[in-house]
Amino acid sequence: MARDSGIISWGAYVPRYRLKAEEIVYLWGWDPNIPRNLNVTEKAVENVDEDSITMGFEAAYNAILRAGINPKRIGAVFFGTESKPYAVKPSATVIAEALGVTPVTMASDLEFACRAASEGLRSALALVESKYIEYGLVIGSDTAQANPGDVLEYTASSGAVAFIVGPAKEAVAILEGVYTYVTDTPDFWRRGLSPYPKHGEAFTGEPAYFSHIEGAVRGLMESLGLKPDDFDYAVFHQPNGTFPLRVGRRLGFPKEKILPGLVTPLIGNTYNASALIGFARVLEQARPGQRILVAPFGSGAGSDAYSFVVTDRVDELRDKAPRVDDYINAKKYVSYAVHAKMRGLYRRIAN
Amino acid sequence: MRLSPAQIWRTRIPRYRLLGKECKKCGRRHYPPRPACPYCGSRELVEVELPRTGVIESFTVIYTVMEGFKDRAPLIIATVKLDDGTRVVAPITDAEPEDVRTGMRVEAVLRRIRDDGSYGLIGYGTAFRPTILVHKTS
Ligand SMILES: [Zn+2]
């Protein structure tokens, strides 16, 4: 039973620069097998003039371009990130202003580790269904941080994704159901004045990632009376290239349904854009009538499982803006030293 | 570089959206927006959102940069002729000097143009990058 809301359009952004995993192996003297064990080869890194706002803007610009709607009809802009350029001062208003959505709109930055944008998506869909807004814009964008020398460095990457949500009759993918599952689980955190997050190593797996995604996906399938066979694609949060395949196996989803939305092996984990950029990539190949499972996860911890059914409109919109793979393929490698400069990791003194 | 809230706020719309002005008298467009037409002096101007693509007409590579821009050196600054003929002076990003040539197609992107240290404001604005997305419309 479909609900009266869905995805109207999508847009993605991946920065041009890539850092190879082997550079990190060499610099910090890691076991050379680590990238293979994590199923990652390289990650996308931002240029010196980029941040989560500029990347989120481009993803959102692409979503509006693809939809062909007047930005003034957007009634909510939700920005999910854990790499805010300002600790206090909303990023959502900068993007809303740059897109021409302002001034009559809701706008806020959300925080729930990697799951903030997904909470924004659920909220925006609900605002559409309750007729508070006509369209909502949801953005997930991160320049993910990792302590230099931490294993997190192999995956923490940069990228953004955006969705316009609206009424089901205009949707490329209609919302069929959503199920949220959260608990207080200390698997990954960053205190206010700390530049880098800390994490519970192995604790990030079983009690955090697996238990919450499985809780949300099982709850969704039970509430809709669906089983893994009913889905054509399954997209999970992807902190590395192996966890999504493993959680899929445990839930009964074969590898073939997961691989189309698995982008972390190519660009790293883009945090708030992680599963959602995978969802965008799936929309770029899905056929009308197909059913997509999307399950983002955020530390701390929680997961939302969504079921979407693709409509005929997807074929009309696919080529109206750059695709995820256009960005994945447009790349240039940088050394660790150049990446460190672009990130401001060197301590200089003023002349 | 010291950035005042008033300065950031006043120029944000033209900087973010590449909003220029069109002269109602001579029909020509200019950027950034000024109170009078630079071609005929008329004050009868309307705001216009400029096209986000164009070609590099000329460019210069700045190796000796002001303090605060060292991490961006060398800076590439270009005159971009937009598809409607309007000329815009802006930084070229996501490109190294050896990649850049006159006549190259570029597209507008929102970037951090200026930055007031770690505690001050960030000045967002328009830069151009080589049109890298070979996007098939089949
Ligand atoms: Zn004039």
Side-chain angles (χ1 to χ4, degrees):
Chain A
M1 185 199 67
R3 307 173 63 105
D4 192 18
S5 68
I7 305 293
I8 303 298
S9 175
W10 70 95
Y13 176 72
V14 180
R16 177 180 184 230
Y17 297 102
R18 298 287 181 281
L19 180 62
K20 285 186 174 163
E22 62 202 45
E23 289 256 352
I24 299 168
V25 168
Y26 172 76
L27 188 82
W28 294 110
W30 285 102
D31 175 347
N33 292 310
I34 286 184
R36 194 168 58 237
N37 295 343
L38 293 170
N39 188 22
V40 291
T41 52
E42 58 197 43
K43 66 172 185 173
V45 291
E46 76 284 0
N47 199 348
V48 63
D49 58 359
E50 294 187 283
D51 61 22
S52 58
I53 289 179
T54 65
M55 298 193 310
F57 166 80
E58 186 157 338
Y61 181 86
N62 285 335
I64 290 175
L65 183 69
R66 183 170 267 124
I69 62 161
N70 179 349
K72 294 280 181 221
R73 292 167 69 184
I74 293 169
V77 179
F78 294 142
F79 186 73
T81 189
E82 58 176 271
S83 27
K84 284 172 61 116
Y86 290 96
V88 175
K89 184 185 178 302
S91 304
T93 51
V94 181
I95 295 175
E97 194 91 272
L99 293 168
V101 179
T102 46
V104 188
T105 181
M106 295 169 70
S108 61
D109 294 11
L110 307 176
E111 201 287 313
F112 194 121
C114 297
R115 183 191 154 261
S118 179
E119 180 100 341
L121 180 59
R122 185 168 182 174
S123 306
L125 289 161
L127 287 168
V128 166
E129 285 188 23
S130 61
K131 312 264 191 269
Y132 271 89
I133 59 173
E134 184 182 12
Y135 297 121
L137 171 62
V138 180
I139 304 157
S141 180
D142 266 300
T143 53
Q145 315 94 22
N147 192 16
D150 187 325
V151 70
L152 214 54
E153 251 191 324
Y154 286 105
T155 50
S157 74
S158 297
V161 68
F163 295 94
I164 292 170
V165 302
K169 62 179 191 299
E170 297 171 45
V172 295
I174 297 174
L175 178 68
E176 202 176 27
V178 50
Y179 194 97
T180 297
Y181 187 100
V182 303
T183 70
D184 176 13
T185 302
D187 57 320
F188 178 105
W189 65 94
R190 180 164 67 83
R191 296 286 295 271
L193 296 175
S194 168
Y196 305 116
K198 291 176 76 76
H199 52 92
E201 302 281 352
F203 189 75
T204 56
E206 212 50 58
Y209 181 88
F210 293 100
S211 132
H212 289 81
I213 290 184
E214 286 172 27
V217 172
R218 290 212 167 93
L220 177 80
M221 290 196 293
E222 198 177 314
S223 71
L224 294 177
L226 296 173
K227 45 191 195 312
D229 283 351
D230 297 318
F231 291 92
D232 299 284
Y233 299 96
V235 190
F236 302 106
H237 178 59
Q238 29 205 276
N240 52 52
T242 59
F243 275 21
L245 296 169
R246 204 190 307 166
V247 79
R249 197 158 55 234
R250 286 164 57 152
L251 285 163
F253 294 90
K255 201 175 169 181
E256 298 67 43
K257 293 185 178 180
I258 300 168
L259 288 176
L262 186 59
V263 294
T264 287
L266 306 169
I267 58 168
N269 175 14
T270 54
Y271 283 43
N272 271 278
S274 183
L276 296 177
I277 219 170
F279 177 34
R281 192 174 192 233
V282 164
L283 287 172
E284 289 167 9
Q285 65 177 73
R287 293 189 308 276
Q290 289 190 316
R291 183 180 275 122
I292 305 170
L293 172 76
V294 186
F297 164 81
S299 291
S303 176
D304 310 286
Y306 299 84
S307 176
F308 287 104
V309 178
V310 178
T311 75
D312 299 344
R313 286 180 67 90
V314 79
D315 293 330
E316 289 166 45
L317 265 57
R318 198 171 281 138
D319 286 322
K320 292 195 168 165
R323 295 184 184 209
V324 174
D325 281 358
D326 290 329
Y327 285 105
I328 290 179
N329 296 333
K331 62 182 175 183
K332 172 159 184 161
Y333 292 103
V334 288
S335 63
Y336 194 106
V338 169
H339 162 59
K341 184 190 78 167
M342 287 171 168
R343 255 211 173 184
L345 298 183
Y346 297 115
R347 179 176 293 189
R348 296 183 70 250
I349 56 167
N351 280 328
Chain B
M1 175 186 267
R2 175 94 178 90
L3 297 176
S4 82
Q7 182 193 10
I8 292 272
W9 179 76
R10 221 174 22 246
T11 58
R12 73 197 191 284
I13 307 280
R15 285 183 189 276
Y16 293 178
R17 282 185 222 160
L18 205 54
L19 204 69
K21 282 196 173 165
E22 188 173 292
C23 177
K24 286 177 85 174
K25 204 170 158 199
C26 74
R28 298 184 72 173
R29 292 172 169 190
H30 68 269
Y31 181 91
R34 292 177 214 172
C37 173
Y39 305 104
C40 76
S42 167
R43 288 182 171 264
E44 268 190 89
L45 305 169
V46 286
E47 283 188 338
V48 56
E49 213 156 305
L50 301 170
R52 296 181 68 83
T53 50
V55 296
I56 293 180
E57 205 168 50
S58 64
F59 68 96
T60 177
V61 180
I62 302 169
Y63 293 96
T64 307
V65 296
M66 286 194 320
E67 185 55 42
F69 286 85
K70 187 63 189 166
D71 54 358
R72 297 171 183 225
L75 281 175
I76 308 169
I77 306 292
T79 300
V80 173
K81 189 179 180 186
L82 301 178
D83 291 341
D84 67 349
T86 311
R87 287 182 176 84
V88 174
V89 177
I92 301 297
T93 190
D94 288 4
E96 284 60 59
E98 61 271 23
D99 302 333
V100 179
R101 49 184 172 69
T102 55
M104 173 183 245
R105 280 204 71 73
V106 290
E107 56 196 357
V109 288
L110 184 75
R111 293 294 168 99
R112 292 165 76 119
I113 304 295
R114 297 166 305 163
D115 200 326
D116 187 0
S118 299
Y119 301 102
L121 287 166
I122 302 164
Y124 293 93
T126 300
F128 287 83
R129 69 161 176 233
T131 310
I132 45 168
L133 302 173
V134 187
H135 161 228
K136 296 178 211 81
T137 43
S138 57

